[in-house]
Amino acid sequence: MTESSPSSSTADLDARYGRGRRSRRPLIIGVVAVMAAAGLAWLAWAAIVGSNPPVTSRLLGFEVTSATTAKATIQVDRTKSVEANCRLQAKSADFSIVGELTLTIPADSPRHQTLPATLKTQRSATSVVLIGCTTADSHRPH
């Protein structure tokens, strides 16, 4: 019988049980770290862009003046001189839309302004809702 050397039996055991191979753990940790950094960078970018919209608006008040008319007052603030479109809806007691109006604020008008709006309705409204304002660059109402 021939005796095998200690180093060759260790090599056989390493081959049999998968020891001695290079670990993939550092590679996996590196990939996860890069993905986490990219996700955090995107989250920071989205928070910064989303918190500074080009136009903001709010409904200051409304009044239902007749069975076919409702008046509202909105405040519009723009960070730069861009055209904005603000959409209002008149709703009935069952929450159906009975009137709608889109106000266009020209780019050369004041950046901070209060605007009156008169909505024609199909039947008596009970409320007026400001959906929001959009610009050519920002299609999500604010």
Side-chain angles (χ1 to χ4, degrees):
M1 225 187 216
T2 59
E3 286 187 34
S4 59
S5 67
S7 65
S8 94
S9 79
T10 304
D12 290 342
L13 290 174
D14 287 346
R16 179 182 289 173
Y17 296 109
R19 295 183 300 197
R21 286 190 333 182
R22 222 171 138 194
S23 174
R24 288 189 182 184
R25 180 176 272 170
L27 175 65
I28 292 171
I29 290 172
V31 168
V32 169
V34 167
M35 295 296 286
L40 287 174
W42 175 83
L43 184 62
W45 173 81
I48 290 169
V49 169
S51 67
N52 297 316
V55 61
T56 58
S57 59
R58 68 183 183 129
L59 180 66
L60 298 177
F62 70 89
E63 177 185 4
V64 178
T65 54
S66 74
T68 58
T69 332
K71 292 185 178 185
T73 305
I74 64 169
Q75 179 181 350
V76 179
D77 298 313
R78 295 173 295 155
T79 57
K80 53 187 175 181
S81 294
V82 294
E83 182 177 281
N85 294 306
C86 300
R87 199 168 101 207
L88 294 133
Q89 290 180 341
K91 296 194 176 187
S92 66
D94 64 354
F95 301 107
S96 60
I97 299 168
V98 293
E100 193 166 28
L101 175 68
T102 299
L103 292 175
T104 300
I105 295 101
D108 58 353
S109 66
R111 288 189 185 178
H112 308 286
Q113 55 187 314
T114 302
L115 301 167
T118 302
L119 291 90
K120 300 289 182 191
T121 61
Q122 297 168 346
R123 55 190 165 114
S124 186
T126 57
S127 66
V128 175
V129 178
L130 173 64
I131 302 303
C133 297
T134 59
T135 63
D137 295 338
S138 174
H139 301 289
R140 196 174 115 228
H142 292 282

